Amino acid sequence: MINIIFNLQHCLVILLLGFLFLCPMQYAQLDYRFYDVTCPNLPKIVRSGVSSAMSNETRIAASLLRLHFHDCIVNGCDGSILLDDTATMTGEKNANPNKNSARGYEVIDAIKAAVEAACPAIVSCTDILALAAREAVFLTGGPCYPLPMGRRDGLTANISAANQQIPSPFEPLANITAKFTSKGLQPKDVAVLSGAHTIGFEQCSTFKSRLFNFDGTRQPDPSLDTSLLQNLQQTCTNQSNSNTNLSPLDLVTSNKFDNLYYSNLLNNSGLLQSDQELMADNYTSSIVINYSKYQSNFYRDFGASMVNLGNVGVLTGQSGEVRNNCRVVN
């Protein structure tokens, strides 16, 4: 309880500083006070919804954060990942990176219903998803960052783009960085946003090759910490029936948003190959070292990178719409 109160005070201070000093009143076409008049209780409603979902399952915090990323990295933040299939459109939920692992849709539905009850036809599903990701970070002990609002919802989804644009844990760092920069993000954002892997779990299928057949050698990844390797081989056996078993991305504090993800990389204990590769590049490894020492630096930069992510390809003004139901266009 003391930690939550401290984090809440920290959040309020950061928000005030963001408004007064650090952040302009507008970020591109978004506005930090967009709903101040039309839906002033929006942040409280979203926080309550995320908190309620986390009380049932702590893991949902990481799922909401991932859902926001998978939305924004595919043709911009437009809520397209939330759309169900129709007779004429196959949604992004069925893309390979999403169909077996993307979660949290029902949480966004519940929050949307609560927001509609308070502020009908005002708040977009895309803004709700962005806010839910922020609250997921905060409620797991991470930073509370100022977040500009005013996104509108897209009118379609693109499964082909989702298959192509969402970074894969099997890709080399150069490929992942290229996907980020193609969206207007920076190489630094790769190292910063990878820190989201301080919470959550991954299925064995995303890293099993490191345990038994790294790069086709039929041997484990030699860079993987030996004790971690033995631990993971018990969870993820060399059989296909273990592919959907789960392992925490951070074995030490899997439900706490902190900087131990970066310490794990220094100890060759990154779960995903794409995570551990941050240590193989001089630029990103220097960021890893810094964040492993100074959690406050990570928190500050993570908030800034989340704002950058949340500004990718947004629809504003008369573009798009405010969906009544996040799963279907109006």
Side-chain angles (χ1 to χ4, degrees):
M1 177 63 70
I2 293 175
N3 188 45
I4 290 293
I5 293 174
F6 174 80
N7 281 344
L8 180 58
Q9 292 172 336
H10 180 62
C11 174
L12 293 174
V13 169
I14 290 178
L15 285 171
L16 181 60
L17 289 174
F19 288 141
L20 296 181
F21 301 107
L22 301 179
C23 303
M25 289 312 301
Q26 291 188 328
Y27 192 94
Q29 293 176 293
L30 304 180
D31 193 316
Y32 285 94
R33 295 178 178 173
F34 191 83
Y35 296 114
D36 278 7
V37 175
T38 57
C39 196
N41 289 324
L42 175 62
K44 293 181 181 179
I45 296 171
V46 175
R47 178 168 297 176
S48 176
V50 175
S51 178
S52 177
M54 287 177 58
S55 68
N56 293 323
E57 183 197 13
T58 306
R59 181 184 163 210
I60 200 66
S63 298
L64 292 171
L65 184 54
R66 186 171 184 262
L67 203 61
H68 175 52
F69 175 76
H70 279 211
D71 179 41
C72 291
I73 208 68
V74 179
N75 294 340
C77 308
D78 59 359
S80 56
I81 195 171
L82 303 175
L83 290 172
D84 285 341
D85 293 354
T86 69
T88 58
M89 181 197 74
T90 302
E92 293 167 21
K93 293 178 180 179
N94 290 296
N96 291 328
N98 294 329
K99 62 183 178 181
N100 295 320
S101 59
R103 313 166 62 246
Y105 302 111
E106 71 288 346
V107 176
I108 300 301
D109 290 340
I111 296 173
K112 174 65 171 175
V115 170
E116 285 296 302
C119 320
I122 295 295
V123 183
S124 69
C125 297
T126 313
D127 273 348
I128 289 173
L129 183 54
L131 276 171
R134 183 185 74 176
E135 299 310 320
V137 171
F138 171 67
L139 291 171
T140 50
C144 181
Y145 46 89
L147 187 63
M149 295 277 100
R151 300 165 189 80
R152 306 258 296 175
D153 296 321
L155 304 178
T156 188
N158 190 328
I159 187 173
S160 176
N163 280 324
Q164 295 171 8
Q165 297 174 12
I166 296 174
S168 162
F170 306 108
E171 289 185 276
L173 180 60
N175 287 21
I176 295 174
T177 302
K179 289 184 175 182
F180 272 64
T181 56
S182 72
K183 304 299 179 181
L185 298 169
Q186 303 299 315
K188 181 178 180 179
D189 291 317
V190 178
V192 178
L193 293 176
S194 293
H197 289 168
T198 183
I199 57 174
F201 291 72
E202 278 287 346
Q203 295 183 8
C204 290
S205 59
T206 62
F207 59 86
K208 185 184 286 190
S209 61
R210 300 187 70 199
L211 310 182
F212 301 103
N213 189 27
F214 181 67
D215 282 350
T217 62
R218 298 188 179 184
Q219 297 295 322
D221 183 348
S223 72
L224 190 61
D225 175 77
T226 303
S227 60
L228 176 60
L229 171 64
Q230 295 172 349
N231 183 303
L232 291 175
Q233 286 178 332
Q234 294 178 18
T235 302
C236 307
T237 64
N238 198 15
Q239 304 294 326
S240 60
N241 61 5
S242 72
N243 284 349
T244 58
N245 290 353
L246 298 173
S247 177
L249 284 155
D250 174 3
L251 288 171
V252 182
T253 56
S254 61
N255 294 321
K256 180 175 173 54
F257 197 99
D258 55 26
N259 66 335
L260 286 189
Y261 162 84
Y262 295 102
S263 299
N264 292 339
L265 297 185
L266 291 178
N267 296 324
N268 293 318
S269 297
L271 184 67
L272 302 179
Q273 182 179 346
S274 56
D275 285 337
Q276 194 59 52
E277 275 201 16
L278 293 174
M279 288 303 298
D281 177 87
N282 288 337
Y283 176 68
T284 54
S285 65
S286 67
I287 296 175
V288 170
I289 294 169
N290 179 274
Y291 292 162
S292 70
K293 295 178 180 178
Y294 306 108
Q295 182 168 271
S296 60
N297 289 352
F298 168 48
Y299 280 7
R300 177 199 64 211
D301 292 348
F302 186 82
S305 284
M306 285 297 287
V307 172
N308 293 340
L309 174 68
N311 193 56
V312 171
V314 295
L315 301 172
T316 58
Q318 298 303 309
S319 300
E321 65 180 12
V322 174
R323 287 184 213 142
N324 299 320
N325 179 337
C326 292
R327 293 176 179 264
V328 296
V329 299
N330 296 342

